[in-house]
Amino acid sequence: MEKSITLNEFIIHQQAEFPEATGNFSCLLHHIGIAAKKVNREVNKAGLVDILGRSGCENVQGEEQQKLDVYANEAFMEELQASGECCGIASEENEDVTTFHEGLCRNAKYIVCMDPLDGSSNIDVNVSVGTIFSIYRRKSPIGEAAVLDDFLQKGSEMVAAGYIIYGSSTMLVYTVGRGVNGFTLDPSLGEFCLSHPNIKTPASGKIYSINEGNYEKFPVGIKKYIKYCQEKDAKTNRPYTSRYIGSLVADFHRNMLKGGVFMYPSTDNHPNGKLRLLYECNPIAFIAEQAGGLAFSEEGRILDLQPEAIHQRVTFYAGAHDMVMKVKEFLNFFN
Ligand code: AHG
Ligand code: MN
Ligand code: MN
Ligand code: MN
């Protein structure tokens, strides 16, 4: 029986490829894995304990915070601080950034932007949810409090990006810019084990993911692209299949493995798009590109966008290379 490679073993092996690596990043990633296991434990027993439902608070997004939003946020904040390698966090659930620069964290050189619980609307109905994270090197001097500019770096500056999907199994998928690797949690070991080495997304596919409830307000190019997906044309494998479950991580993960395109255009409620650049679009874009796909906004390549604010929203088109190029073609031609 082949020995499974655990996340920690993989991180250490990968660290050996970076001569300048000092283990700080490996330690940070290890603590992210611990936080993921804590959240997974709560997600798995949601419904049995008082972790479901609304927390009674609202977050800076004006969203009703779910108890699991709050729990996941606290679990990741706690582990990131405990790693001693993180000097600051920008989280969907906190209005401002949180910084650590004393004690264990005084020499920390990384900052993290995270969506602690993605797909919150699905928690109470037992549909997959996720966590999304991105890691940057701080730009401000080590030993001082991290500053806003440390968090407003372009996605192209990212050191690593990843997500955890709490689904039929729990997976951690991440990249450090050398391809994408997926690890499945083995509950009997309590370890994430390498299950999807070097993930490459198909150049094209049959799945398109979009909330068609917003159709009326879509850009004309997107309305035309949706009609294109629905037309019968054997040569280009159409009509495609519509799949959308309202959890970005789950929709993206399925499309990355099977071949598809995820779209969140401008809508009435969200004229600049709903998804947040720092902790949803940038990390997913890095993973999409590392898996051979693409990720664009109506303003251009996601990883090239200069963030202006930590909760900034952008339009988002990500997935299979040829499908994203086709979406861009329709947007450029009709808009
Ligand atoms: P979050 O739960 O972190 O606030 O993110 C929800 C996001 C994303 O997961 C999903 O793709 C999108 O919201 C769904 O939005 P709609 O319900 O408007 O389609
Ligand atoms: Mn939310
Ligand atoms: Mn989210
Ligand atoms: Mn969230």
Side-chain angles (χ1 to χ4, degrees):
M1 182 184 77
E2 205 176 319
K3 176 189 175 326
S4 46
I5 297 177
T6 67
L7 175 63
N8 287 340
E9 286 169 329
F10 188 87
I11 295 170
I12 300 300
H13 293 165
Q14 194 168 54
Q15 178 187 320
E17 291 168 30
F18 293 83
E20 77 286 357
T22 54
N24 305 90
F25 176 77
S26 305
C27 175
L28 181 60
L29 214 47
H30 171 69
H31 281 269
I32 287 174
I34 295 172
K37 291 182 214 174
K38 286 182 175 178
V39 173
N40 177 63
R41 180 187 58 200
E42 297 309 306
V43 167
N44 279 352
K45 61 186 180 187
L48 295 175
V49 295
D50 183 26
I51 193 76
L52 284 178
R54 298 185 170 84
S55 67
C57 307
E58 201 176 80
N59 65 10
V60 64
Q61 327 280 339
E63 299 169 343
E64 182 85 62
Q65 270 181 322
Q66 302 296 313
K67 287 178 188 155
L68 217 46
D69 278 324
V70 175
Y71 176 82
N73 195 45
E74 286 165 3
F76 274 88
M77 301 278 281
E78 184 182 55
E79 282 304 327
L80 288 170
Q81 184 172 13
S83 75
E85 306 299 350
C86 172
C87 63
I89 301 171
S91 166
E92 179 201 350
E93 302 306 328
N94 298 339
E95 180 157 10
D96 298 315
V97 299
T98 306
T99 62
F100 319 108
H101 65 289
E102 272 136 21
L104 197 59
C105 304
R106 67 184 168 285
N107 298 321
K109 58 185 179 189
Y110 296 108
I111 65 103
V112 173
C113 302
M114 70 172 181
D115 178 358
L117 210 291
D118 174 67
S120 308
S121 61
N122 284 321
I123 295 168
D124 293 2
V125 292
N126 214 3
V127 168
S128 302
V129 293
T131 298
I132 311 171
F133 62 88
S134 54
I135 301 170
Y136 297 79
R137 273 186 203 78
R138 69 180 302 170
K139 294 191 329 185
S140 56
I142 288 181
E144 297 173 9
V147 295
L148 191 56
D149 275 356
D150 288 318
F151 299 89
L152 299 182
Q153 298 183 53
K154 286 184 179 180
S156 51
E157 296 298 310
M158 231 179 298
V159 170
Y163 57 78
I164 296 98
I165 176 167
Y166 310 99
S168 45
S169 65
T170 294
M171 277 190 72
L172 188 151
V173 175
Y174 84 96
T175 181
V176 294
R178 296 190 181 193
V180 179
N181 291 285
F183 301 79
T184 299
L185 184 62
D186 178 339
S188 67
L189 291 177
E191 291 286 356
F192 283 103
C193 298
L194 183 64
S195 54
H196 296 68
N198 195 22
I199 299 173
K200 290 297 172 199
T201 193
S204 192
K206 278 187 67 80
I207 300 171
Y208 70 101
S209 305
I210 189 167
N211 181 344
E212 297 195 41
N214 299 316
Y215 182 86
E216 270 311 299
K217 295 297 175 194
F218 284 159
V220 175
I222 295 300
K223 289 182 176 177
K224 297 281 186 188
Y225 179 72
I226 292 172
K227 291 299 163 215
Y228 170 83
C229 293
Q230 295 164 350
E231 284 165 359
K232 193 167 176 51
D233 175 64
K235 234 179 8 344
T236 52
N237 230 350
R238 289 179 289 147
Y240 295 157
T241 298
S242 171
R243 286 284 183 277
Y244 189 82
I245 65 168
S247 285
L248 168 63
V249 169
D251 279 319
F252 175 79
H253 183 76
R254 176 201 57 239
N255 290 0
M256 181 168 69
L257 297 183
K258 293 194 163 192
V261 61
F262 177 95
M263 298 171 275
Y264 209 109
S266 47
T267 66
D268 226 9
N269 294 344
H270 298 294
N272 297 320
K274 174 185 183 184
L275 299 180
R276 283 59 58 110
L277 175 59
L278 248 59
Y279 43 78
E280 289 174 316
C281 302
N282 264 337
I284 296 295
F286 191 21
I287 292 169
E289 290 196 2
Q290 285 292 311
L294 291 174
F296 277 82
S297 169
E298 282 156 40
E299 285 70 48
R301 179 181 176 241
I302 288 286
L303 296 182
D304 289 340
L305 299 181
Q306 175 53 56
E308 308 295 337
I310 60 174
H311 300 296
Q312 173 181 349
R313 298 174 192 266
V314 290
T315 55
F316 190 55
Y317 305 97
H321 179 281
D322 298 353
M323 296 177 89
V324 174
M325 289 305 287
K326 182 61 87 175
V327 172
K328 281 182 70 189
E329 197 184 297
F330 274 77
L331 275 170
N332 295 340
F333 185 79
F334 289 102
N335 285 63

